[in-house]
């Protein structure tokens, strides 16, 4: 039985297929690799697509399907799909959209491994890409070529926190019949629903806010049923980056508290951003929820709140950035984001180290840039830790 609700706080708990088996409150974990057929003929019908039903867990699994239905509803999409990692989702979607010698337009700033994938696609299949901040119509139009097959956006951009105007991009892309893919990892569907702004496909590293507890690596995609079915039957099924049932179960559990967690992440980040701005060791704070952030008006248009991530540059060198991180006592040094624990990382030497230095600098990722994923702790405790570390660096 499928239930639909209009408020996300209720949707994250009740929407999608409900399990009726034995009345269990939560979806069971269907920890099985394969499904038996009542007869050889039934197996034939299922493979031929003439009869609904499960076949083999790489082609579909009930626990995973419950998550796929839920992400589709949360993103306002026709269908959803789960993957073994965010990168499995990114690669399956990009490979489904492209063929050899095509061209992709991307945001000037991408997660390091997404950039690595684009380089790989160019090297192996001559699929080229152009990077742009997409600040106005001319900038976007000037990059569109006959062989351009998609526009791929991160917003907010990891880790520079620039915001791309989704309505502007999708309006132009629509004129040319080019699909717009949005990596919505930094916002989660609670803060931003790209399809409502005219975009076509939405992706997540579910490892982050969707999970929320730092214990799963997973990916999700959502969009039109035709496209999602195509990915399911090709670049997911045949490349094989599927999600395990237990991970889907953990993500369904994590999703239930997404709105509650996001409100706290956002509030904590806003408090910390204000405090950071007034510290003499800080050069610049990059936080989309700050009214002084240059993209604040676009953020207000398409996001519910500014998010839980803050990047900032310090006055000093790479060594000073590392000293600052090493001086923290509560905040932990780790990549990933969106967890209950506040995490700090140095993009130039960690998440974005694979990007050549000149390209990295063009994106705004300098040695002085530090990214903070603000967790769910009491914000005063977080600030106390940051302040003592910043003060230590100034000595
Ligand atoms: N997209 C974005 C925006 C990401 O930040 C990441 C991972 C991915 C896709 C890939 O997802 P994964 O395969 O790891 O689930 N971002 C990371 C980060 O910023 N720190 O560690 C991983």
């Amino acid at each position: 039985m499928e239930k639909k609700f209009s408020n996300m706080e209720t949707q994250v708990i009740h929407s999608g297929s409900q399990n009726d088996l034995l009345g269990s409150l939560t979806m069971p974990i269907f920890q099985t690799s394969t499904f038996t057929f009542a007869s050889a003929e039934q197996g034939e019908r299922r493979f031929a697509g003439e009869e609904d039903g499960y076949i083999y867990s790489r082609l579909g699994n009930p626990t995973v399907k419950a998550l796929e239905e839920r992400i589709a509803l949360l993103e306002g999409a026709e269908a959803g799909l789960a993957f073994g990692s965010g990168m499995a989702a990114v690669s399956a979607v990009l490979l489904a959209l492209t063929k050899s010698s095509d061209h992709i337009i991307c945001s000037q700033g991408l997660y390091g491994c997404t950039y690595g994938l684009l380089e790989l696609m160019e090297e192996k299949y001559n699929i080229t890409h152009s990077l742009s901040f997409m600040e106005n119509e001319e900038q976007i139009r000037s990059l569109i070529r006959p062989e351009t097959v998609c526009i791929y956006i991160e917003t907010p951009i990891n880790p520079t926190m620039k915001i791309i105007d989704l309505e502007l991009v999708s309006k132009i892309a629509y004129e040319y019949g080019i699909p717009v893919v949005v990596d919505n990892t930094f916002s989660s569907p609670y803060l931003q629903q790209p399809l409502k702004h005219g975009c076509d496909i939405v992706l997540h590293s579910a490892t982050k806010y969707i999970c929320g507890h730092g214990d799963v690596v997973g990916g999700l995609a959502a969009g039109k049923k035709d496209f999602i079915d195509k990915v399911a039957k090709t670049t997911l099924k045949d490349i094989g980056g599927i999600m395990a049932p237990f991970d889907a179960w953990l993500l369904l559990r994590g999703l239930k508290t997404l709105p509650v967690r996001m409100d706290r992440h956002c509030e904590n980040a806003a408090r910390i951003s204000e405090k950071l701005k007034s510290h003499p060791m800080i050069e610049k704070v990059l936080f989309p929820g700050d009214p002084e952030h240059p993209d604040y008006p676009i953020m207000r248009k398409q996001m519910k709140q500014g998010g839980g991530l803050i990047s900032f540059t310090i006055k000093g060198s790479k060594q000073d950035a590392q000293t600052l991180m090493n001086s923290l006592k509560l905040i932990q040094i780790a990549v990933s984001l969106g967890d209950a624990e506040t995490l700090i990382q140095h993009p130039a030497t960690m998440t974005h180290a694979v990007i050549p230095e000149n390209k990295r600098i063009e994106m705004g990722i300098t040695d002085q840039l530090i990214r903070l994923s603000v967790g769910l702790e009491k914000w005063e405790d977080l600030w106390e830790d940051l302040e003592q570390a910043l003060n230590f660096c100034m000595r």
Side-chain angles (χ1 to χ4, degrees), residues 79-101:
L81 207 52
F83 302 81
S85 69
M87 283 318 300
V90 175
S91 54
V93 164
L94 282 180
L95 290 174
L97 286 170
T98 53
K99 60 177 175 16
S100 151
S101 301

Side-chain angles (χ1 to χ4, degrees), residues 318-328 389 392-393:
K318 174 178 141 188
Q319 283 67 36
D320 293 317
Q322 291 177 330
T323 305
L324 168 65
M325 292 165 70
N326 291 336
S327 311
L328 292 163
F392 178 78
C393 288

Side-chain angles (χ1 to χ4, degrees), residues 207-224:
T207 318
K208 314 291 158 45
Y209 288 113
I210 292 196
C211 172
H213 297 76
D215 46 18
V216 175
V217 174
L220 294 166
K224 285 244 157 46

Side-chain angles (χ1 to χ4, degrees), residues 224-257:
K224 285 244 157 46
K225 188 170 182 318
D226 282 356
F227 178 73
I228 293 295
D229 281 353
K230 179 182 161 186
V231 176
K233 288 179 183 152
T234 57
T235 49
L236 175 58
K237 174 175 79 70
D238 298 336
I239 297 177
I242 59 154
M243 178 176 285
F246 181 49
D247 289 351
W249 185 87
L250 284 169
L251 293 173
L252 281 166
R253 183 167 77 157
L255 266 177
K256 292 183 191 184
T257 54

Side-chain angles (χ1 to χ4, degrees), residues 85-87 111 158 183 185 205 207-208 218 335-337 351 371:
S85 69
M87 283 318 300
Y111 170 56
N158 182 1
D183 183 331
T185 301
S205 166
T207 318
K208 314 291 158 45
V335 296
S336 203
L337 57 105
T351 48
R371 189 189 77 188

